[in-house]
Amino acid sequence: MSEAVSRRRAIGLLGAVGAALGAGGCVAAVPPGGAGPRKASASAAATGAAARPGSAARIDALLERLTLEEKTALLHGGPDPAPLGQAGYVPGVPRLGIPALRLADGPAGVRVARPATALPAPVMLASAFDPALAREYGRVIGREGRALGQDVLLSPMANLIRTPYAGRNFETFAEDPRLTADLVAQVVRGIQDEGLIATVKHFALSNQEQGRDTVDAVAAEQTLHETELRGFEAAVAAGAGAVMGAYNKVNGTYACENKPLLDELLRGRWGFGGWVMSDWNAAHSTVAAIGAGLDMEMPGGTHYGAPLRQAVRGGSVHEDTVDLAVRRILATMDRFGLLAARPPARPARDAAAGARVARRVAAAGAVLLRNEHATLPLTGAAARSIAVIGPTGQLPFVSGGGGAHVVPDQAPAPLDAIRRRAGNGSTVRYALGEDLYGRPLPAKLLNPAADLADRRVEAGRSWSHEGEFTLAADDEWTLLVHYTGKRPGVRLDGEELFPGRQGVAEQFAGGLLGAAPDGLAVRRRTLALTAGTHRLSVFAEGGDEGQRFRLRHTTNATRAADLAEAVKAAEQAHSVVLFAYEDATEGTDRTSLGLPGGQPRLIESVAAVNPRTTVVLNTSSSTTMPWLPRTGAVLQMYYPGQEGAGATADVLFGDVDPGGRLTQTFPADEQATPVGGDPVRYPGVGGRQEYGEGVHVGHRWYDAQRVAPLFPFGHGLSYTTWEYENLTVRPERGGLRVEFTVRNTGHRKGTEVAQVYVGPSAELKLDQPVRALAGYRRLALAPGEAQQVVLDIDARTLSSWDPEAHAWVLGSGRREVFAGRSSRELHLRAKAVVKSR
C-alpha cells in the first residue's frame, strides 16, 4: 500500500471531508419532484426533517406515543402478511398511522413477483455517458416501484468496478469515480422524482463477491476519498433517502458498525439526513451497530429485535439512541409523504413508456469494439443473407442473476428481431452453436430403463430410480437437472452432483443459466467420465405442491454436432451474427475473463469459414478475446434488458449509430489488470484485502503502469468518422474552461462521446493519476456538422485528498488538458495555469 492505515488515522480520514462534489459544500436533500436543493439547519439535516413543513413536530409527537416495542419494530424487517415478492418488509404501527414499508431490489428494474420493465444493466446505461438518460432510467424504476406497491428501492449500486472478476460489475456503473458519481446522482434523482425512496449501496468498498461477508477491505485515506467514496457522496448530495451498509469490513471494522464511516463521515461531514440499513444479514451486533449509526437491520430482528430492547432496559443502549434511529426513518417517510393523512396515490404502470426507455438505453449503450472491413452495419448483400448463431440469439439474455433479475413483460428473441429487420426476400438461418440446457437422456441408456425426459412427482409423494449405463470410451459429459420444486438428488457413482451451495450462491444461479426457457430451475455439472460402467441414482420429492423434473446431458458428440451445424450455417451465409454470453450473478465472482464453455472454439471455427462474423457479447464485464483477430466486428451489448433484441438489430443494421463507450478497461490478458497476479489486492489473503493500487483505479492504473489494454476506457467505434480541433483552455471560476470543436467528417449521422482528461499538478506532492477524467459530452451530429464543446473543470476535479490535512487541496500550477475519443485516443492537448485560491 502507498500509505499505512491505522485505526486512529482511519477515524481521521473518515471524519473530515471537504466540499461536496463540485459544489463547494454539502447539498441538502431534494424532496420528491423538487427542482433543486434547499438549505436546512444542521439539526434538520441530521434527521431529514426539513423535507416537509411541520415534519419535526409531527415526528416528535409520534415518538412520544410509540412504545419501546413499537420503536424497535420499526428498526428491523419482518414477515410480510401479504408479500408482493419483494426483498424486505418493515411492519408499521397502524394505531399511529405509520404504514409498513416494502423494499424491492431494483438496479435494472423492480424485482417483484409481477412483471416489470426489465431495463438494460446499469453498466450499459453508463456506457451511454449521458446523465440525462440516467435520470430517465431512474424515473422508470421509480414510477414502477410505486405502481407495484413498493416504498423503497434497494438501488443504485455506487461501488466501483475494481476487478473484472467481480460478479456484480453489471449492476454498477464504471471503474471511474467521476463518471460513477455523475450517473449515480442522476439515477437517485430520477427514482425519487417519482416518490420512491432510493437506497445507495453498498457503503463501502464492496467490490467483489468472494468472501464479501468477512473480508477486511483496507484502503488508505487518499484512496478512499478519490475513488470509492465519490459515488456515495454524490448520492447524498442528490438527496438519497437511504444508504445500505456493506457486508465487508472497512479498515478493520464491519461496515454496518463502523462509526467513522456511518456517523462521522456520512452524517457528520456529508450531512446525510436519511437512514442507514444493513445489507441482508450484514449486521453483526446490537450495541456497536446502533451506536455507530446503523438504523435498520434487515431482513429480520436478530440484533435489533429482543436484543435491542434488552440492551435499552439493561442500560447498554440509551433509549435516545433508539429514538434517533426511529426519527431518521420516520422523517424520511414523512419527506416522501408516507405519513400524510392522504399519502400520494400510487400511479398506474406505463409498460409502453418503460419499454421505450429500455430500448433507447440499450441502443445508446451499445459499444462497437471492433469493425474491420466495414463488417457493420449490415447493408446490401450482407443484410439479405445472415446466419444467426448462438443460444442467446434465440433465447434473449435479459438480465444478470441475483437481485438484478427482473420478470419482464415480454422479451423478444434477437433472431426474430433480425428476421423482421432483414425483411422479405432475405434468408436468415439459425444454428444453436452451444447447447445450454442439454438433450434428454436416451430412455434405453439406463439399465433398468427409465424415462427421465419429463417426470411429474405428485404432492406428498416421492420418486426414485437406480440404474447403470456403460460408456465405450472416455467422454466429457455435462449433466443437467431441471426442476420446479425441491432440487432432486442426483448421484453418479455415489457422488451427489448438485449439492447445496454456500450462502446466496445457492439462491442465485444466474440470469441465463439458472433457468430453462420454460422456467424450470437448472443446475449443471461437467465431468470427465471414463470408459466403463457408471451408476446413476435419482431421488425426487413432490413436496406440498408436486413438481416436475427432468435430467438432461451433453457429450463430446453432441457438442461436435452443434459446432458442425454452426459452421455449415456460416458457410452458407454472406454474414454471420454470433451471440456469445457470460452469465454473472450476485454471490459468485467470475473464475475467468474468457468466454465460458465451448464458445471460444465456436467463434474461431465460424470466423474461419466466414470472416464477415460479428460477435455480439451479452456479458457482464470485460472479456479477454484470443479469438478477436479472426472476427469482422465485435459489439458489446452487456445484459440489454427486455428490449435488447430490437436495440441490437437497430445497431447491427445501422438504424442507429453505436453510441456507447466503455466504462471499464478491457485487459489484454488476465494478469494485466490493477489487481491481476496480486492475491493481496484480490481476492485477499487471510481475510484481508489491500487496495494497493491507491488512486490508480481502472484506466488510471493502465496509464501509470504503461500497460496496453485490449480496449481502453472510453473506447467505442462509430459508423462515421470524427475530427477534433481548436482546443483552448483558460482559467475560469476557480477551475478551467475547456473549449474545442468536434466535427462529423463522414457520410452518416453519428453519435460521439467527447472526453476530456486532466494531467497532474507538479506543485502538488501527492500521488496523482497520469490522466483523470475531467468531463465528457455526448453529441449527435449530422454528416459534415460541427459543434463547439464547452466544458468546465471544477476545483474538485483539479484537487487531491491530502491525508495529512484530511481535506481536498487544489493542484495549482500548469496543468495539461487532453481531449479525444477515449483515454488512449486523445487528439488534442493544451496547457493552462490553475491559480491558487
Side-chain angles (χ1 to χ4, degrees):
M1 292 185 65
S2 58
E3 303 171 51
V5 181
S6 67
R7 171 68 178 167
R8 177 181 59 79
R9 295 199 63 179
I11 292 175
L13 72 93
L14 292 173
V17 182
L21 280 172
C26 287
V27 180
V30 182
R38 57 187 185 188
K39 294 182 180 179
S41 68
S43 61
T47 62
R52 296 173 69 84
S55 179
R58 186 160 44 251
I59 304 309
D60 286 341
L62 285 171
L63 279 168
E64 288 180 5
R65 299 178 63 190
L66 283 165
T67 67
L68 179 60
E69 285 74 11
E70 289 169 335
K71 291 175 185 176
T72 58
L74 291 170
L75 301 186
H76 65 80
D80 188 346
L84 303 176
Q86 79 280 358
Y89 176 82
V90 179
V93 183
R95 73 179 185 86
L96 297 180
I98 300 174
L101 291 174
R102 287 186 169 91
L103 304 85
D105 287 316
V110 183
R111 186 173 184 257
V112 292
R114 292 174 54 193
T117 300
L119 291 159
V123 71
M124 191 168 203
L125 165 70
S127 300
F129 279 74
D130 189 343
L133 186 61
R135 191 156 186 169
E136 287 189 58
Y137 183 99
R139 282 176 174 150
V140 170
I141 302 174
R143 180 187 178 102
E144 294 208 341
R146 291 279 299 148
L148 292 167
Q150 303 303 304
D151 308 293
V152 182
L153 189 78
L154 307 175
S155 184
M157 180 175 169
N159 305 107
L160 296 183
I161 296 175
R162 177 177 179 255
T163 168
Y165 291 100
R168 301 181 77 174
N169 282 349
F170 65 95
E171 290 189 54
T172 191
F173 296 87
E175 68 187 20
D176 186 82
R178 166 63 186 267
L179 180 61
T180 298
D182 290 348
L183 298 176
V184 164
Q186 292 304 324
V187 171
V188 165
R189 291 187 176 104
I191 291 165
Q192 297 190 160
D193 283 345
E194 302 296 327
L196 193 66
I197 300 170
T199 307
V200 63
K201 62 184 186 183
H202 310 82
F203 193 54
L205 298 181
S206 178
N207 303 112
Q208 65 188 57
E209 295 301 282
Q210 187 170 341
R212 71 176 188 178
D213 295 332
T214 57
V215 71
D216 183 10
V218 178
E221 180 171 341
Q222 184 183 1
T223 300
L224 268 170
H225 286 279
E226 292 193 29
T227 60
E228 176 80 355
L229 293 182
R230 290 199 62 181
F232 293 97
E233 187 182 1
V236 170
V243 169
M244 180 186 289
Y247 286 109
N248 51 278
K249 297 173 185 174
V250 175
N251 291 331
T253 303
Y254 278 110
C256 287
E257 53 188 55
N258 194 311
K259 189 176 180 66
L261 196 65
L262 302 182
D263 188 55
E264 298 171 20
L265 172 67
L266 181 63
R267 293 197 175 95
R269 297 300 176 178
W270 291 351
F272 175 63
W275 87 84
V276 178
M277 72 179 74
S278 74
D279 205 335
W280 270 224
N281 298 307
H284 292 270
S285 63
T286 301
V287 177
I290 199 163
L294 181 73
D295 301 308
M296 180 182 288
E297 178 192 7
M298 293 301 293
T302 302
H303 302 285
Y304 276 24
L308 180 55
R309 293 191 292 273
Q310 292 168 4
V312 171
R313 291 171 181 140
S316 57
V317 173
H318 198 286
E319 192 163 353
D320 286 351
T321 304
V322 173
D323 287 353
L324 181 56
V326 173
R327 180 181 293 276
R328 290 167 178 151
I329 296 166
L330 293 180
T332 306
M333 292 174 67
D334 192 56
R335 172 186 160 197
F336 285 80
L338 301 181
L339 300 184
R342 293 185 178 178
R346 293 192 182 272
R349 272 197 73 212
D350 189 341
R356 288 193 295 271
V357 172
R359 184 155 177 169
R360 282 181 54 210
V361 171
V367 185
L368 185 59
L369 298 176
R370 172 180 170 88
N371 193 23
E372 297 296 308
H373 310 298
T375 299
L376 292 180
L378 299 175
T379 59
R384 293 192 297 271
S385 173
I386 304 169
V388 175
I389 294 170
T392 49
Q394 187 176 47
L395 180 68
F397 198 162
V398 175
S399 60
H405 194 65
V406 179
V407 180
D409 292 290
Q410 49 85 41
L415 174 62
D416 294 336
I418 290 170
R419 279 178 170 153
R420 280 194 300 272
R421 179 57 182 81
N424 295 332
S426 63
T427 301
V428 179
R429 300 173 178 86
Y430 175 73
L432 181 64
E434 182 179 64
D435 187 351
L436 298 185
Y437 304 106
R439 291 161 166 77
L441 286 167
K444 295 182 180 180
L445 174 71
L446 291 177
N447 182 23
D451 184 3
L452 299 174
D454 195 354
R455 295 206 69 93
R456 170 79 185 176
V457 184
E458 300 299 329
R461 305 293 295 274
S462 63
W463 184 91
S464 64
H465 181 82
E466 293 189 15
E468 296 180 341
F469 64 92
T470 301
L471 297 182
D474 294 352
D475 203 351
E476 181 180 89
W477 277 37
T478 296
L479 278 162
L480 306 95
V481 62
H482 302 200
Y483 56 99
T484 60
K486 179 182 178 181
R487 184 163 67 246
V490 181
R491 302 182 74 85
L492 183 64
D493 297 328
E495 178 190 359
E496 174 57 54
L497 295 183
F498 310 109
R501 301 169 178 171
Q502 291 187 344
V504 294
E506 173 64 20
Q507 178 185 357
F508 299 137
L512 176 71
L513 301 180
D518 60 355
L520 273 67
V522 176
R523 292 290 190 273
R524 54 181 51 74
R525 178 83 175 271
T526 298
L527 310 103
L529 299 184
T530 58
T533 301
H534 297 269
R535 292 176 291 107
L536 182 71
S537 63
V538 181
F539 176 78
E541 296 176 285
D544 293 336
E545 298 179 358
Q547 78 153 316
R548 287 173 56 209
F549 81 92
R550 54 192 176 229
L551 199 63
R552 297 198 168 190
H553 77 315
T554 61
T555 66
N556 281 333
T558 66
R559 287 187 282 272
D562 290 337
L563 180 63
E565 179 191 25
V567 169
K568 181 178 180 181
E571 288 175 324
Q572 294 175 343
H574 186 282
S575 54
V576 175
V577 179
L578 193 156
F579 286 82
Y581 73 90
E582 178 262 320
D583 195 9
T585 185
E586 178 180 354
T588 305
D589 279 347
R590 304 163 75 192
T591 57
S592 168
L593 304 187
L595 292 173
Q599 293 181 103
R601 182 184 176 195
L602 174 65
I603 295 172
E604 292 271 6
S605 300
V606 166
V609 300
N610 193 328
R612 295 174 298 279
T613 293
T614 296
V615 176
V616 178
L617 292 171
N618 291 134
T619 53
S620 66
S621 193
S622 55
T623 305
T624 52
M625 305 180 192
W627 39 262
L628 183 68
R630 285 192 177 273
T631 63
V634 178
L635 178 63
Q636 178 69 51
M637 291 298 293
Y638 294 108
Y639 301 154
Q642 68 178 53
E643 304 301 319
T648 301
D650 289 342
V651 175
L652 290 173
F653 287 89
D655 299 330
V656 299
D657 200 41
R661 303 294 183 263
L662 290 181
T663 68
Q664 57 192 305
T665 306
F666 277 39
D669 63 69
E670 303 219 8
Q671 297 300 310
T673 79
V675 300
D678 186 351
V680 174
R681 293 188 187 183
Y682 173 83
V685 175
R688 176 185 169 95
Q689 166 190 66
E690 295 184 4
Y691 281 54
E693 67 274 19
V695 301
H696 305 288
V697 64
H699 61 92
R700 300 175 179 184
W701 180 87
Y702 287 86
D703 289 341
Q705 299 298 320
R706 299 183 179 179
V707 173
L710 182 63
F711 297 111
F713 174 89
H715 171 74
L717 303 177
S718 169
Y719 291 150
T720 187
T721 54
W722 303 93
E723 185 174 292
Y724 286 62
E725 55 195 15
N726 303 326
L727 173 66
T728 62
V729 185
R730 66 177 185 272
E732 187 159 322
R733 298 179 183 179
L736 298 174
R737 171 153 288 186
V738 180
E739 298 183 17
F740 57 96
T741 299
V742 178
R743 187 182 307 276
N744 181 348
T745 56
H747 303 289
R748 301 172 60 98
K749 179 180 179 180
T751 300
E752 176 69 326
V753 176
Q755 300 160 48
V756 173
Y757 297 79
V758 63
S761 163
E763 297 182 7
L764 201 57
K765 304 307 178 185
L766 292 167
D767 198 16
Q768 300 172 71
V770 175
R771 281 179 293 276
L773 181 67
Y776 48 89
R777 184 67 51 79
R778 186 177 176 89
L779 308 169
L781 301 179
E785 184 181 4
Q787 181 172 329
Q788 186 181 40
V789 176
V790 180
L791 288 172
D792 288 325
I793 305 178
D794 60 17
R796 165 62 75 87
T797 303
L798 296 166
S799 299
S800 294
W801 182 267
D802 186 341
E804 298 299 326
H806 306 304
W808 292 99
V809 291
L810 184 67
S812 55
R814 188 172 296 277
R815 304 287 292 266
E816 192 165 19
V817 174
F818 308 82
R821 305 198 65 240
S822 78
S823 64
R824 289 294 178 95
E825 190 178 351
L826 298 167
H827 307 276
L828 307 174
R829 63 177 61 192
K831 294 181 179 180
V833 175
V834 175
K835 299 178 181 178
S836 300
R837 296 188 230 180

